[in-house]
Amino acid sequence: MAEGGQGGGEALLFLTDEQLRKGIEAMFFAYRGFTADPDRILEKHGFGRAHHRAIHFIGRSPGTSVNNLLAILGVTKQSLNRVLRALIEAGLVESRVGRRDKRERHLHLTPAGEALERELSDAQRARMRAAYRAAGAQAVAGFRTVLEAMMDGEQRRQYLALREASP
Amino acid sequence: MAEGGQGGGEALLFLTDEQLRKGIEAMFFAYRGFTADPDRILEKHGFGRAHHRAIHFIGRSPGTSVNNLLAILGVTKQSLNRVLRALIEAGLVESRVGRRDKRERHLHLTPAGEALERELSDAQRARMRAAYRAAGAQAVAGFRTVLEAMMDGEQRRQYLALREASP
DNA sequence: TTGGAATGTCAACAAGACTGACGTAAACTG
DNA sequence: CAGTTTACGTCAGTCTTGTTGACATTCCAA
């Protein structure tokens, strides 16, 4: 179908409500699959999704400040703080007082934190890899394109900022 | 087009960890965008995401049983019951005793429930439509293909079952 | 130097998930 | 027909993760 060439075929785009609804439901079910593996691992360690998100983005941007993490995660600082405290107590995250600005705390994963990060992202990558393989390269490109278009402006800005960091 | 993605280029599929990570982060940020509009509407009415999910799937499959809804949503009956009770009290959902099997309750949206369902799904469809338009037809196909591949087997079964209902 | 802004912490609360136990009515089964 | 299973509802208690509000510390600029 849609051999419209990479022109992409705006012309072929018949968007019935039913098709849109399928997209919505696909997001719902796929997101559950997307979080299923990490959830199982986290439970073993007594953590939840909030901890996963913190670990992910600290691992992604070592030395990030609490405020920066706050902006990415879109939660209140009090909520993040609880999560962070648990991770620091468990010895997975280290919080270093800023050298230039002592109000800031710079966050890093400890070796144990890196190990859990790897365990979590290995699982998630394995699922993503399988899905990508099953779908093919063109599908993958389309997948990313639609997801980016679905973000709010601010979210897309943050997403692309992460992208820059490691192109 | 799913199979082997013919032009799709399995050959072109270089799945670096970095690329996979981008896909993971895209899911994270896109899902936030995906739920942002409904969340705003729900707040006005004093409901949450859990209510949205129930409303969506009742609207999708009118007359569905509690047990069926339970399976789709993947929560406990206690959790669903709290949500359902609120929706029934608010006059958005009606629970009818089954005719054939009187143990069952068949769930329907009232006119008010349908109105809220429409308000919610209009918002969500508008975003989905904009994303689809921006991405093009091929991207849309790829998007759905990858999402389906990302589901667990049971989830995919349920997703496709909904699909059948209205092809 | 002093007051405001930024950063982070502690405390209390709410939503929404969970488990476990129990009750009722209807349907099924030997 | 008696006993078991199924479908649903409810009460009670816990956990995670979000929320506000109040407060301490640090920096910076008037």
Side-chain angles (χ1 to χ4, degrees), chain B residues 38 91 94 167:
Chain B
E94 195 189 345

Side-chain angles (χ1 to χ4, degrees), chain A residues 144-160:
Chain A
R144 285 267 292 274
T145 304
V146 173
L147 287 188
E148 285 179 30
M150 204 180 301
M151 299 174 195
D152 278 342
E154 177 59 15
Q155 290 158 10
R156 186 161 39 244
R157 205 191 58 68
Q158 291 173 341
Y159 169 73
L160 294 175

Side-chain angles (χ1 to χ4, degrees), chain B residues 47 55-56 58-59 87 90-94 108-120:
Chain B
F47 294 121
I55 287 175
H56 175 95
I58 294 171
L87 291 174
L92 303 181
V93 167
E94 195 189 345
H108 298 263
L109 295 181
T110 65
E114 282 174 2
L116 179 55
E117 194 282 328
R118 207 168 309 118
E119 188 182 356
L120 290 165

Side-chain angles (χ1 to χ4, degrees), chain B residues 27-90:
Chain B
M27 273 298 275
F28 172 72
F29 287 110
Y31 197 78
R32 280 234 302 250
F34 173 70
T35 55
D37 302 326
D39 282 354
R40 269 188 291 274
I41 295 168
L42 289 158
E43 200 190 354
K44 288 192 311 186
H45 297 260
F47 294 121
R49 259 182 227 180
H51 304 87
H52 182 192
R53 292 194 283 264
I55 287 175
H56 175 95
F57 286 108
I58 294 171
R60 175 66 144 171
S61 309
T64 186
S65 70
V66 173
N67 241 356
N68 183 42
L69 202 50
L70 238 33
I72 289 175
L73 297 177
V75 298
T76 59
K77 63 177 178 176
Q78 294 91 330
S79 196
L80 175 58
N81 199 258
R82 189 184 336 105
V83 167
L84 240 31
R85 209 184 317 163
L87 291 174
I88 290 169
E89 260 171 40

Side-chain angles (χ1 to χ4, degrees), chain B residues 84-157:
Chain B
L84 240 31
R85 209 184 317 163
L87 291 174
I88 290 169
E89 260 171 40
L92 303 181
V93 167
E94 195 189 345
S95 168
R96 303 180 194 154
V97 172
R99 274 178 42 85
R100 259 189 39 205
D101 187 333
K102 291 177 191 161
R103 293 171 305 177
E104 294 182 347
R105 300 297 135 84
H106 298 277
L107 303 169
H108 298 263
L109 295 181
T110 65
E114 282 174 2
L116 179 55
E117 194 282 328
R118 207 168 309 118
E119 188 182 356
L120 290 165
S121 76
D122 279 354
Q124 213 158 22
R125 278 202 303 269
R127 183 182 289 257
M128 191 68 73
R129 188 182 297 115
Y132 276 12
R133 284 240 173 82
Q138 285 203 340
V140 169
F143 169 72
R144 284 265 292 275
T145 304
V146 173
L147 287 188
E148 285 178 30
M150 206 179 301
M151 297 174 195
D152 278 342
E154 177 59 15
Q155 292 158 9
R156 187 161 39 245
R157 207 192 56 69

Side-chain angles (χ1 to χ4, degrees), chain A residues 32-47:
Chain A
R32 280 233 302 249
F34 173 70
T35 55
D37 301 327
D39 282 354
R40 269 189 291 275
I41 294 169
L42 289 157
E43 201 190 354
K44 288 191 311 184
H45 297 259
F47 294 120

